Amino acid sequence: MPEEKLFPNNKPEPWQEILPVLPTNLRRLISGLPQPVLAQLEEIRLRQDRPLMVGQAQNDAFVSPEGQLLTLPAGAYLVSGEDIQRTLQLVSGASFYALEEELRNGYITLPGGHRVGLAGRAVVEGGQIKTLKNIFSLNIRISREVIGAATPVLPFLVCRQGICHTMLFSPPRCGKTTLLRDLIRQISNGVPDLNLPGLTVGVVDERSELAGCYRGVPQRDLGARTDVLDGCPKSKGMIMLVRAMAPQVVATDEIGRQEDVAALEEILHAGVKVLFTVHGSSLAELAGRPALAYLFRLNVVERFVLLGRSRGAGTIEDILDGKTKRSLWR
Amino acid sequence: MLKMAGCLLIMSAGSFAGISLARNYARRPEELRNLITALQMLETEISYTATPLPEALGRIAARCDKSIAPLFFKAGEELRAQTGCTAGEAWETALNKFYAISSTLPSDLAILRNLGTVLGISNGEDQCKHLRLAREQLKGEVITAEQQAAKYVKLWSYLGLLGSLALILLLY
């Protein structure tokens, strides 16, 4: 199906967008990697006094001081405390004071929708995480927009009322968010080949991952009829969106807490279709989580989509019917 | 005729040297006061709106007195260029350029340099504490700068002229 982008953008390569947050010596090492590696680069991991590591679609590798890829950590470039401190300063745009909320959550969103996960020592006050200090571990995750990722799935999700209540599930790093993002975009723009008119989509983006909002402005194309509620807790945001923006479809990432399921239950019965993702590798595993077990008992989800990495991130392993739990895929 | 021209040259050079030294003394308290106001603005940007530093520095450069604007403009520009420098390094570069064109003294420079080492790397509360400390220290410098201005502005402007006259008499 020919894909016409509604918001054409001539952006640099995703890996180029994260270079400005790296100190110059690391910039040189990363940008010197072979082109095929850069094209598949998923994450860059910096841990103080540990080897510099890059994560690709299929495997992890270490980087030598000469910019060569190594499979074993021996001889790799050791990330110094200075590297970590400089990266942190660059990631924060020299403004740690502007990121207090982000530090509490343990990640920072960069322009372009990429994110930097942080680990260090948590400062706890009254049972709540106040901030992180002594940060010694960073994971720069490169976010990719895969236009057309949802094309093979979409025919299974379209029904007479528009689209089905759908749950996407997989272990981490299998492309749930990427698939959900493209689903939102296609549903929002409409798919004439499937007789799917464009639907108004409300997105609750608690972790700024779907729309990749940077200072409130979505960095990702989520379609023409999409409203994004950025940084809002899912449980509150879903209900807020239904009341405020009258969406036909509500989409959100990583449902799992009791209050998320309660909010989901409320909007499932409000004539709104829902699209959401969950961490897990099988339906049986999901049913073992109390909040999700309750959701399964409600028996309202119409399609389950399982993702995996058997043929790279984003492989669609199975699509199940919600009622019969029978496979519709192949 | 040649002697007359030489005398004139010595006199104008002497008075110019005197006046520019006097002007430095007169300008310093003014610049320090402007710096204090600008740091107050920076504190507001950080504590109330949590404006990111590159943007905050740019805004202050646009609003503050033009005698000190280059400091904030240059530091903001360095950070926006994303060359990989930290806030401290950007501030240092801007400070060195500013010092060369301003009337500030090494003691003022030391206060501003100290501020640069902490700029942007801690939470809002901590940033405000450091900004307040720098302002208090600069206020102390304003007092000495004013005392020195009262003492030396007139002295140097007269000394330049009179010194050159004395030299002319000696040479004759």
Side-chain angles (χ1 to χ4, degrees), chain A residues 191-267:
Chain A
V191 185
D193 291 3
L194 299 173
N195 285 328
L196 181 73
L199 302 173
T200 310
V201 186
V203 177
V204 188
D205 200 4
E206 184 170 350
R207 308 199 307 161
S208 303
E209 219 168 9
L210 281 169
C213 285
Y214 178 71
R215 294 187 198 154
V217 181
Q219 306 281 307
R220 298 276 172 242
D221 174 11
L222 289 185
R225 297 178 184 84
T226 305
D227 303 301
V228 182
L229 197 54
D230 183 48
C232 182
K234 286 180 280 278
S235 50
K236 298 211 165 52
M238 286 190 278
I239 295 166
M240 249 170 90
L241 263 182
V242 170
R243 287 186 190 142
M245 303 307 287
Q248 291 161 292
V249 180
V250 168
T252 189
D253 214 2
E254 287 171 25
I255 290 283
R257 287 171 298 188
Q258 211 90 43
E259 61 263 32
D260 299 340
V261 174
L264 207 57
E265 186 184 359
E266 194 155 320
I267 60 166

Side-chain angles (χ1 to χ4, degrees), chain B residues 19-66:
Chain B
I19 288 171
S20 53
L21 267 172
R23 202 170 45 200
N24 262 349
Y25 278 106
R27 262 173 39 187
R28 183 169 164 241
E30 198 50 46
E31 277 181 12
L32 291 177
R33 269 194 292 269
N34 288 333
L35 277 170
I36 291 171
T37 316
L39 293 185
Q40 170 82 61
M41 285 190 221
L42 187 58
E43 189 182 328
T44 313
E45 291 284 354
I46 288 175
S47 62
Y48 289 100
T49 48
T51 316
L53 198 58
E55 211 179 311
L57 290 170
R59 277 193 207 176
I60 289 159
R63 277 166 27 208
C64 70
D65 190 85
K66 65 176 186 302

Side-chain angles (χ1 to χ4, degrees), chain A residues 21-282:
Chain A
V21 305
L22 293 173
T24 40
N25 56 332
L26 297 183
R27 271 185 212 185
R28 216 175 24 248
L29 284 182
I30 297 295
S31 56
L33 293 175
Q35 192 56 42
V37 175
L38 290 171
Q40 289 198 354
L41 199 61
E42 286 187 354
E43 54 182 33
I44 301 170
R45 284 181 182 269
L46 310 179
R47 298 179 180 103
Q48 192 168 328
D49 304 327
R50 301 275 181 277
L52 172 64
M53 208 171 115
V54 290
Q56 298 163 266
Q58 297 296 337
N59 55 359
D60 293 335
F62 301 94
V63 183
S64 76
E66 295 78 37
Q68 310 280 308
L69 274 194
L70 306 170
T71 44
L72 293 171
Y77 174 83
L78 288 184
V79 177
S80 66
E82 166 86 7
D83 287 335
I84 297 274
Q85 290 313 317
R86 292 188 83 91
T87 311
L88 272 174
Q89 275 226 36
L90 296 171
V91 163
S92 69
S95 319
F96 251 67
Y97 55 84
L99 298 169
E100 286 175 22
E101 184 62 34
E102 282 86 345
L103 287 176
R104 256 196 292 277
N105 293 331
Y107 64 84
I108 295 170
T109 305
L110 300 177
H114 313 287
R115 25 211 345 227
V116 181
L118 312 165
R121 185 174 166 75
V123 181
V124 180
E125 215 175 72
Q128 301 280 320
I129 296 173
K130 195 173 165 233
T131 187
L132 280 180
K133 67 173 186 181
N134 306 340
I135 295 168
F136 58 83
S137 185
L138 286 102
N139 178 15
I140 304 170
R141 296 176 62 182
I142 298 166
S143 140
R144 275 177 216 286
E145 218 169 4
V146 184
I147 301 289
T151 308
V153 185
L154 209 53
F156 296 92
L157 310 187
V158 175
C159 61
R160 253 182 305 135
Q161 300 89 24
I163 62 149
C164 304
H165 293 305
T166 304
M167 175 198 279
L168 312 175
F169 68 104
S170 79
R173 287 186 61 199
C174 288
K176 284 186 300 294
T177 306
T178 310
L179 177 63
L180 180 61
R181 192 184 294 133
D182 198 54
L183 268 175
I184 295 169
R185 193 183 59 83
Q186 296 210 27
I187 291 167
S188 173
N189 287 340
V191 185
D193 291 3
L194 299 173
N195 285 328
L196 181 73
L199 302 173
T200 310
V201 186
V203 177
V204 188
D205 200 4
E206 184 170 350
R207 308 199 307 161
S208 303
E209 219 168 9
L210 281 169
C213 285
Y214 178 71
R215 294 187 198 154
V217 181
Q219 306 281 307
R220 298 276 172 242
D221 174 11
L222 289 185
R225 297 178 184 84
T226 305
D227 303 301
V228 182
L229 197 54
D230 183 48
C232 182
K234 286 180 280 278
S235 50
K236 298 211 165 52
M238 286 190 278
I239 295 166
M240 249 170 90
L241 263 182
V242 170
R243 287 186 190 142
M245 303 307 287
Q248 291 161 292
V249 180
V250 168
T252 189
D253 214 2
E254 287 171 25
I255 290 283
R257 287 171 298 188
Q258 211 90 43
E259 61 263 32
D260 299 340
V261 174
L264 207 57
E265 186 184 359
E266 194 155 320
I267 60 166
L268 278 165
H269 297 114
V272 178
K273 293 293 178 181
V274 290
L275 287 175
F276 60 97
T277 68
V278 173
H279 275 301
S281 47
S282 69

Side-chain angles (χ1 to χ4, degrees), chain B residues 113-146:
Chain B
R113 193 165 271 161
N114 266 342
L115 177 66
T117 57
V118 294
L119 212 53
I121 58 168
S122 57
N123 62 20
E125 206 179 312
D126 194 60
Q127 291 287 298
C128 290
K129 272 187 204 156
H130 285 292
L131 284 165
R132 243 170 273 154
L133 173 68
R135 279 203 333 260
E136 287 308 315
Q137 288 172 325
L138 286 175
K139 274 182 197 163
E141 293 298 321
V142 171
I143 296 170
T144 41
E146 275 170 345

